[in-house]
Amino acid sequence: MILKRALYWGFPALFCVALYWHGLKAWFQMDDFAWLGLHTQVHDFSSFLSALFRPMAQGTVRPLSERLFFLSFWEWFGMDALPYRLLVFATQFANLALMAGIVRRLTGSAVAGLVAPLLWLASPVLYLPMVWTSAYNQILCAFFLLLAFFLLLRFVDSGRTRSYCGMWAAFLLGFGALELNVVFPAIACLYTALFARRYVRAVAPMFLVSVAYTLWHRSVGQGLASSFYAMDYSPLSLLAVFGRYAWLAVSASPAARLRGVDPRWMDASSAAALLALVAFVGAMVWRREWLAVFLAGWFGITIAPYLPLARHVSDYYLTVPAIGLAMLGGWAFAIGMQRGLATKVIAVLAVLLFALPCAWHERVLSEWYAAKSRRVRAMVRGVAAAHSRHPNRWVILHGVDEDLFWNGLYDKPEVALGWRPLYMTAETQPMISPVLEEDISEHFLPPPVTIRALERKQAVVYDVSGARLRNISGTYLRLRSQSDDAMALPSFVDAGNALFATFLQDGWYGLTGGIRWMSQRATLQLGGTVNAGSTVRLRGRVTPEHTASQPLAVTVYVNDVNAGTQRVARGRT
């Protein structure tokens, strides 16, 4: 009996490891490096609190799933990715156990309790949270929502105060994982309204917390979100986005296209599985089985906050909503297996039509993303070796492709590692497609700067296009030193970088910690067009003293011609 129970509760975890094995072997990529570099902003308790609660990344505040997670694990494990990955998997194991217990309680079926977590794991939306460490917020949010709901069920069953307090604790902690946590009161009220009306009053006050959090979060994050995250509340847009998410929740087409498989077969299988699930919900509602309403409501409630983000539809946002569909699927399968032979065959076919292509999809994409992360690891280790061989020189990278840039270099791994800024050669820039309004020009060193740095032995150029980094400094210098743009002026100047010092003229002070202050008036040499409509962008900082009494006016002159004035508001830095 003990072995049987252990197998029942442990099998979903074993299936998780088997399906997402590559997630354990994944390294860091994309936003991971921004969070890994967070430790450089912590110097005392005040800066620690700022790092935990200051709005970042489109104005979000996620102290548990991002800030504390990366800060503490960096302190303990540094750039060893495995412990980070193990925590993700351990949290997911807890999710699977909670989900099994919840489904058993809701349906009264051990079969449904076993199948539902397996269907969730097979959902075609978990590959990124199971491979990308920065998406841990989705896994941790699922944990707090499932734990809070599990404790709500315990409270309804027993009436014990400790279960009620535990539910509140899980709910409040969930705000440290992801903003989606605000939907829990709606889930709790839907369940109690359908099955335990006397407890509606016990969960209704949670709405006040969610509303207060939403207002606070929108106020502190105001101005940080990009147009990529603009909200569209028009009914047609919301309906269209909902349809896209409903399809993404069952579709294995992305992996099919990646592997050159005809996606029509995958689409037909996904459509059949989705229709079977919709038919099951309709049949249960017709029979007044209100559990179908609740489980479908789980999907609708948890996907609702994402619907206004019409320009940012992402399949991994379905991590939590897919739980509702998986619970529906597990319940439908359990009911089907209790009926006649024809119903059993239909139940098995429906599960297979969904699970087989989608599990394959998860395996393919998790392996693909893990391979990308290991390529980033090889590049970072190669750069570390280059720094070791040339400790006093800047490292400039050549041959960077789009994947390596967006997965490994855009978020600046050098910040976390305490290196000088990593630049790429100007020839690399045409190979990189910018994302929406992102300006990536500052990542590429202008040719005249690169040439002068090589001539003065200030830098080395490494080609990263092969399996290993290769020093091509001599070859690059011979080929580029005779080009027309070698003697041109750079298109941008970083005053805080010693490589650009030759283009600074009057009014500049020496470098101090990567910062170079200027006097009231300073001059630099900068290339570029001076046609009507061209712009000059400035980025810098001022001290509070500069703007304490009045706004600070900043005027730009191009070839001694006034190009315009901007004012830094009073009290701003």
Side-chain angles (χ1 to χ4, degrees), residues 46-198:
S46 177
S47 59
F48 172 71
L49 291 179
S50 176
L52 284 185
F53 298 107
R54 185 175 72 254
M56 302 180 194
Q58 292 75 52
T60 59
V61 182
R62 301 164 185 167
L64 296 181
S65 63
E66 293 172 347
R67 319 299 179 79
L68 191 60
F69 172 36
F70 279 95
L71 283 172
S72 57
F73 272 54
W74 171 268
E75 185 68 24
W76 299 329
F77 308 110
M79 295 292 281
D80 183 0
L82 182 58
Y84 298 76
R85 306 304 312 146
L86 289 174
L87 179 64
V88 174
F89 274 72
T91 307
Q92 185 69 335
F93 294 164
N95 289 339
L96 298 173
L98 285 168
M99 189 174 175
I102 288 170
V103 174
R104 283 186 63 152
R105 160 61 175 76
L106 293 176
T107 66
S109 169
V111 172
L114 176 64
V115 174
L118 300 179
L119 292 178
W120 185 43
L121 288 171
S123 299
V125 298
L126 290 183
Y127 63 92
L128 207 51
M130 294 305 296
V131 172
W132 183 29
T133 305
S134 285
Y136 178 55
N137 51 51
Q138 296 287 335
I139 302 297
L140 190 61
C141 180
F143 170 74
F144 285 121
L145 286 174
L146 288 169
L147 178 60
F149 185 68
F150 176 79
L151 292 169
L152 170 62
L153 294 178
R154 295 288 296 270
F155 173 60
V156 168
D157 290 341
S158 66
R160 292 179 178 175
T161 302
R162 64 181 182 183
S163 296
Y164 182 69
C165 293
M167 176 190 67
W168 267 96
F171 169 58
L172 294 175
L173 287 171
F175 289 109
L178 192 63
E179 304 80 58
L180 183 62
N181 189 70
V182 298
V183 305
F184 179 74
I187 294 174
C189 278
L190 178 61
Y191 176 79
T192 52
L194 289 172
F195 304 107
R197 291 185 181 178
R198 58 179 293 196

Side-chain angles (χ1 to χ4, degrees), residues 327-350:
M327 291 192 290
L328 266 174
W331 183 35
F333 180 80
I335 290 178
M337 297 306 291
Q338 296 171 0
R339 307 297 173 85
L341 179 61
T343 307
K344 290 180 180 178
V345 171
I346 292 173
V348 171
L349 284 177

Side-chain angles (χ1 to χ4, degrees), residues 379 383 395-400 409 423-425 428 462 464 469:
M379 182 271 297
V383 173
V395 175
I396 306 169
L397 303 179
H398 182 75
V400 176
L409 289 166
Y423 288 105
M424 283 151 279
T425 59
T428 299
Y462 273 81
V464 301
L469 272 66

